[in-house]
Amino acid sequence: SWVPTNTTHRPDGYWLLTVGGKIQTVAVEIELNLKVNEKYQEAADFYSNEAQIAKVVWLVPLGTAARRIQGQFSQSGAERTNIHNFIAISDFKRCFWDAPILLGPDIGKSLSEFLTGTSRTNLGQSLVTCPTQPLLDFSKSPYRSRSYKSAQKS
């Protein structure tokens, strides 16, 4: 299976992608609130031991949070710390799949470029103009979200 069974750490989600003809598992971490440093060291150990996870996308409150988390990974001494990419939550809410990666090995790419393995110059407009706002809901109770309520009224 493409989802790790190790229970020492649970990402918020996984994507199964085909990039360049290769199937990859990408973990998704959404950090609405920063955790204690030990939790990030545990996450670094988890990702070091899960070779089937090719990359990790972190949605974080600010760039300072990304640098703090990345710093904890570096200090942990864990292997494979170069698989983590960070995107600001505010950028994702504003730009959705066009949100830029602000820190990590794929810095400067948009999320859509990262997910598709395609550069912006080759990326078709259909990928960036599709309505994507409801795809990731940051509310703690998605069943009470504005998207859900709007859908219920229809």
Side-chain angles (χ1 to χ4, degrees):
S1 177
W2 59 278
V3 174
T5 57
N6 183 336
T7 58
T8 59
H9 176 77
R10 294 266 179 175
D12 294 308
Y14 292 98
W15 287 321
L16 184 63
L17 306 174
T18 302
V19 179
K22 183 179 174 187
I23 297 175
Q24 298 180 343
T25 298
V26 175
V28 180
E29 297 276 4
I30 301 172
E31 293 297 289
L32 298 177
N33 300 298
L34 291 178
K35 297 172 181 61
V36 295
N37 292 341
E38 291 77 24
K39 291 292 183 186
Y40 295 115
Q41 291 173 351
E42 289 172 14
D45 290 338
F46 170 79
Y47 289 117
S48 289
N49 295 320
E50 291 297 331
Q52 74 189 86
I53 297 175
K55 299 274 180 135
V56 184
V57 173
W58 293 78
L59 296 175
V60 295
L62 299 167
T64 53
R67 288 187 291 281
R68 176 181 163 214
I69 295 168
Q70 189 180 57
Q72 287 302 310
F73 291 158
S74 297
Q75 288 179 9
S76 73
E79 297 176 13
R80 300 184 70 232
T81 58
N82 63 336
I83 64 170
H84 302 273
N85 287 290
F86 298 87
I87 296 173
I89 291 172
S90 59
D91 287 344
F92 182 79
K93 286 181 174 182
R94 188 178 68 254
C95 305
F96 306 111
W97 303 117
D98 268 346
I101 293 173
L102 60 95
L103 189 63
D106 297 295
I107 190 168
K109 289 184 179 178
S110 69
L111 180 57
S112 62
E113 290 171 312
F114 168 78
L115 294 175
T116 62
T118 308
S119 69
R120 184 172 301 282
T121 56
N122 296 328
L123 188 62
Q125 283 297 318
S126 61
L127 289 176
V128 289
T129 58
C130 64
T132 56
Q133 187 170 4
L135 294 178
L136 287 180
D137 189 334
F138 288 98
S139 63
K140 290 187 178 193
S141 183
Y143 298 105
R144 295 186 188 109
S145 69
R146 281 181 259 164
S147 300
Y148 177 79
K149 289 177 183 176
S150 296
Q152 294 302 308
K153 291 178 184 176
S154 303

